[in-house]
Amino acid sequence: MFIETEGTPNPATLKFLPGRDVMGFSTADFASAESAGRSPLASTLFALPGVARVFLGGDFISVTKTDEVSWQALKPQVLGTVMDHFVADLPVIDGKEDDLSEDVDPADQEIVDQIKELLDTRVRPAVAGDGGDIVFRGYREGIVRLHMQGSCSGCPSSSATLKHGIENMLRHYVPEVVAVEQVEL
């Protein structure tokens, strides 16, 4: 098994591409070892010293490290862990995905559908290329609420991406949008 690695805009995060499906059409973001209980892969990665966050994407795994460890020391351990996991044919996630509700006024459903379409076709592919994801969390009174995951969470450029890139694009295509806010789960 050959696993490619790519850098991301967040210097503390590397993207690992095992050359196979990881999560398919869904994603999972784990900000701590405690939150990774439903993922055998994420739990094993958190057992490595210096792993601060694990994000599972469609065909990649993003790992964020702490400042106490270098990529030179951690990268070979992550590669070995990912390889061992997939060679053993273990599940990536146990059980069903968490159901996170959205805060949406039913009267705004047409606007929400437009926003989600733009996010799915124009934003998420670019964000996934950087080792992360963006999740729609709600829309009320012209304000779109989004959650940044993976390498995008805590990335130095994520605020600029959210405000200048995503907000401007959504406001251009959906005049009802007045602002975009980042929310934490």
Side-chain angles (χ1 to χ4, degrees):
M1 173 179 224
F2 178 72
I3 302 171
E4 291 182 65
T5 59
E6 293 179 1
T8 71
N10 184 347
T13 303
L14 279 181
K15 186 175 167 182
F16 296 84
L17 297 111
R20 59 166 290 171
D21 213 29
V22 176
M23 288 288 292
F25 293 108
S26 62
T27 61
D29 190 27
F30 303 103
S32 67
E34 294 76 29
S35 68
R38 67 187 182 102
S39 172
L41 176 56
S43 294
T44 305
L45 288 167
F46 273 113
L48 301 174
V51 172
R53 182 180 212 108
V54 175
F55 176 77
L56 306 172
D59 64 350
F60 66 91
I61 300 125
S62 291
V63 176
T64 304
K65 69 173 190 65
T66 63
D67 292 336
E68 288 76 41
V69 66
S70 70
W71 276 120
Q72 185 176 0
L74 184 58
K75 183 178 168 181
Q77 296 176 60
V78 172
L79 286 168
T81 299
V82 170
M83 184 176 296
D84 290 348
H85 181 88
F86 285 115
V87 167
D89 203 28
L90 297 170
V92 174
I93 295 281
D94 287 330
K96 280 223 17 114
E97 192 176 335
D98 289 342
D99 181 33
L100 299 171
S101 61
E102 299 172 349
D103 180 25
V104 174
D105 183 343
D108 292 330
Q109 193 58 51
E110 188 175 324
I111 295 167
V112 169
D113 290 344
Q114 290 176 20
I115 292 167
K116 286 181 175 182
E117 174 71 18
L118 287 166
L119 291 173
D120 287 346
T121 59
R122 295 180 179 250
V123 178
R124 291 183 78 206
V127 173
D130 289 338
D133 196 11
I134 189 160
V135 180
F136 178 83
R137 299 293 356 123
Y139 172 81
R140 289 217 181 247
E141 299 175 7
I143 298 173
V144 178
R145 289 173 184 78
L146 303 172
H147 175 67
M148 305 288 273
Q149 294 183 324
S151 67
C152 299
S153 181
C155 174
S157 61
S158 68
S159 296
T161 299
L162 198 64
K163 280 307 214 184
H164 303 295
I166 298 169
E167 182 176 291
N168 288 342
M169 188 261 309
L170 288 176
R171 289 175 68 191
H172 175 77
Y173 288 104
V174 186
E176 294 85 355
V177 172
V178 295
V180 172
E181 292 180 354
Q182 182 170 333
V183 296
E184 296 301 321
L185 300 180

